[in-house]
Amino acid sequence: MTMEVTAGRVALNARAAVLAYLAVSGIVLLLMMLLGLTMRLAQAQWIDVEPDFFYVVMTMHGAGMVGIAGLSGAAVMWHFVRRHVPVSTAVFLVNLVFFLIGAVLILGAGFIGGFGAGWTFLFPLPAHSGELWSANAAAAYLVGLMIIGVGFLLLHLDIARGILSVYGGLGAALGVKQAFGLAPEKGGPPPAVAASTMVLIVNILGIALGAAVLVVSLVNLYVPSFTFNALAAKNMIYFFGHVFINATIYMAVIAVYEILPVYTHRPWKANRAFYFAWVLSTAMVLTVYTHHLLMDFAMPAWALVAGQIISWLSGLPVLLVTAFGTLANVYRSGLRWNLAAALVFVGVAGWAIGVIPAIADGTIAVNSVMHNTQWVPGHFHTYLLLGMVAMMLGFTAYLTRPQPRYGLGWIGFWLYVGGGTLFVLAFLLAGSESVPRRYAVHVASWLPYDRVGSVGAALAVTGVLILIARFFAGVRTAAQAEDPA
Ligand code: HEM
Ligand SMILES: [Cu+2]
């Protein structure tokens, strides 16, 4: 695939490895979108899906989407950070192999074993299947996640090694001195390095706690007398889950910093505010996950109040410097729009817009009403489908064929953006009417939302299909090419 064997030595081609990551991500993205469409059509009562199978589909969709968000985010991060620090292509490929092994285990757990406890594997649910799946199926799911986690851990440690070898410390690589005005902005780390450093710090901690709770759950599957405090387990799972999915955006946003300047011919300004935002967000991403526990009344009140306040602030610093930076970079630059620039631009917009309903839901008074309604998939699909995924698609276009100004690529773009918007609006409107999330069967008065959502989803899937097909059509040439500069 990506290796040339020359005289017994294996030369690993870094660019081909990045394209392999994107190829896997693109295919899994499409398959998982089809699973999402299946759920939407089932809720709309346009197709028949047995409820127990709905939950298998929901679990696979959640795990698969979070997985490829991590995988494609890692591809963006690695591609750009290796311009500044030494990293190992072998470790990068090991992560891809671990991902594929984990994915097979997870898909087997779901589609063969019937595992449907949700991608968040909330303890002790995996062990309480009501006869719907076996302990072995649950174990396959948990082990699959663990293998994927180990791969990501290795990759992060390797990038950390590279960063430390150049910058000497994580603080220097994050731009802490620049953030507090103790060193001139000019000498600060490049945006890709600062962002990667933040991602390493939070993801290494997140994966460690995630692995610990996975082990606990695994033991509990086979030795039910071995139990664990369920509230502690929930804290650990949501710490891991919140950090991991947020980190995918912080990885993908590097594509914005690197790709827009290529077409606007203006460097990305890494100023004091930029470094300050990244330092602040590093701390906040680690502490904000308690917004997932606002309805867990056994939690100490101070933790939830802190979670609410930090939720309001957490995403904002990096989002604001990125949104303003994007507008400043594009405004009057004479940029002639191409697919790559348009997609990363949409990514910033989708991220910014999606954070607004998320912040609303992070407020205890609102959460009491909106908790577990479709408001929640409404906001996270906005910043994932129209934010993170847009940045990733922009990166694929940048590496393959950014240019054609008319034609099929733009049709794909508008189907994706228009359909995606309709799809997320249907969730948000249903959520504001208190339609619950994670319900396989919907009552008649909810069906209009489900049907509009289904149409939007079908359009979005078609659009992404076109964009991914363009990527595959251009991938061979891209493997030999240089980045557009
Ligand atoms: C056209 C694209 C997509 C469609 C049609 C779709 C559809 C759905 C549906 C119907 C649900 C369940 C909603 C409910 O609780 O009632 C869902 C949940 C979810 N989706 Fe998507 N989705 C899409 C794209 C994405 C993307 C791009 C991501 C992430 C990168 C994602 C991540 C998730 C997650 C994490 C859940 C939560 C699963 C759970 O509650 O355990 N989805 N999606
Ligand atoms: Cu969260």
Side-chain angles (χ1 to χ4, degrees):
M1 152 189 68
T2 61
M3 302 175 200
E4 283 165 30
V5 182
T6 36
R9 283 188 58 234
V10 181
L12 301 173
N13 175 341
R15 196 179 170 82
V18 168
L19 292 168
Y21 262 61
L22 293 175
V24 171
S25 302
I27 291 172
V28 179
L29 172 68
L30 276 173
L31 293 176
M32 294 301 131
M33 283 178 110
L34 288 175
L35 291 187
L37 179 60
T38 306
M39 280 189 280
R40 220 63 191 96
L41 291 170
Q43 288 173 334
Q45 296 181 11
W46 274 339
I47 59 170
D48 263 335
V49 174
E50 289 299 313
D52 52 352
F53 188 63
F54 178 95
Y55 291 105
V56 172
V57 170
M58 190 188 84
T59 304
M60 297 298 113
H61 173 82
M65 284 299 195
V66 173
I68 62 104
L71 196 71
S72 54
V76 172
M77 170 169 78
W78 192 82
H79 179 82
F80 290 114
V81 84
R82 69 184 285 278
R83 293 179 177 175
H84 309 287
V85 305
V87 286
S88 154
T89 307
V91 171
F92 186 60
L93 283 173
V94 165
N95 181 40
L96 182 60
V97 172
F98 276 36
F99 182 89
L100 291 170
I101 297 172
V104 168
L105 279 168
I106 290 173
L107 290 172
F111 290 116
I112 302 172
F115 181 75
W119 82 274
T120 44
F121 58 93
L122 201 59
F123 178 86
L125 199 54
H128 294 258
S129 74
E131 310 283 295
L132 283 176
W133 62 83
S134 63
N136 290 340
Y141 179 84
L142 299 175
V143 171
L145 274 192
M146 202 144 21
I147 292 175
I148 292 176
V150 170
F152 273 100
L153 193 58
L154 291 174
L155 177 66
H156 286 327
L157 290 173
D158 181 61
I159 299 176
R161 182 192 52 77
I163 285 181
L164 289 177
S165 75
V166 173
Y167 292 90
L170 293 177
L174 195 56
V176 173
K177 280 197 175 153
Q178 284 76 16
F180 292 102
L182 304 171
E185 290 168 355
K186 276 216 170 67
V193 171
S196 303
T197 305
M198 181 266 210
V199 168
L200 299 176
I201 296 172
V202 302
N203 251 354
I204 290 174
L205 292 169
I207 293 172
L209 276 159
V213 71
L214 281 171
V215 171
V216 167
S217 298
L218 262 175
V219 177
N220 172 262
L221 276 180
Y222 294 104
V223 189
S225 62
F226 172 88
T227 58
F228 188 71
N229 183 307
L231 191 59
K234 184 171 177 187
N235 272 271
M236 290 163 81
I237 288 174
Y238 278 91
F239 176 80
F240 152 73
H242 175 88
V243 164
F244 191 84
I245 193 64
N246 272 261
T248 68
I249 301 180
Y250 294 123
M251 295 192 261
V253 78
I254 299 172
V256 180
Y257 302 154
E258 296 281 348
I259 292 175
L260 271 184
V262 170
Y263 303 117
T264 58
H265 306 291
R266 286 175 176 170
W268 186 274
K269 270 219 178 68
N271 52 19
R272 186 169 163 190
F274 179 87
Y275 294 115
F276 188 69
W278 279 91
V279 172
L280 211 61
S281 285
T282 308
M284 290 199 290
V285 166
L286 293 174
T287 42
V288 67
Y289 75 94
T290 44
H291 58 214
H292 295 278
L293 295 97
L294 295 180
M295 294 301 118
D296 291 298
F297 303 114
M299 283 292 288
W302 62 264
L304 300 184
V305 171
Q308 154 165 345
I309 294 169
I310 304 167
S311 287
W312 290 340
L313 303 175
S314 165
L316 284 182
V318 168
L319 175 60
L320 288 180
V321 294
T322 304
F324 281 117
T326 299
L327 293 177
N329 198 272
V330 168
Y331 183 66
R332 293 204 167 161
S333 66
L335 165 69
R336 299 186 65 192
W337 290 99
N338 60 46
L339 268 185
L343 282 164
V344 295
F345 191 86
V346 165
V348 175
W351 180 26
I353 294 168
V355 162
I356 297 167
I359 289 179
D361 197 42
T363 308
I364 294 174
V366 176
N367 197 266
S368 313
V369 184
M370 297 307 218
H371 187 80
N372 276 347
T373 66
Q374 287 197 331
W375 187 260
V376 177
H379 73 64
F380 72 69
H381 281 93
T382 309
Y383 53 71
L384 291 174
L385 176 63
L386 293 172
M388 192 280 153
V389 169
M391 296 175 196
M392 163 215 174
L393 291 172
F395 182 57
T396 61
Y398 163 77
L399 288 181
T400 50
R401 296 192 294 170
Q403 278 312 334
R405 289 208 173 70
Y406 303 99
L408 201 58
W410 284 115
I411 297 178
F413 173 86
W414 286 112
L415 282 172
Y416 157 63
V417 174
T421 305
L422 197 63
F423 163 70
V424 296
L425 280 176
F427 268 152
L428 287 169
L429 285 175
S432 67
E433 296 288 325
S434 291
V435 174
R437 72 181 283 207
R438 287 180 161 175
Y439 269 38
V441 181
H442 280 191
V443 301
S445 61
W446 304 341
L447 297 186
Y449 301 112
D450 302 331
R451 294 187 169 166
V452 171
S454 297
V455 172
L459 296 175
V461 176
T462 314
V464 172
L465 178 68
I466 294 173
L467 295 174
I468 300 284
R470 277 186 92 252
F471 166 74
F472 275 101
V475 77
R476 269 176 172 278
T477 356
Q480 272 99 45
E482 296 283 308
D483 281 14

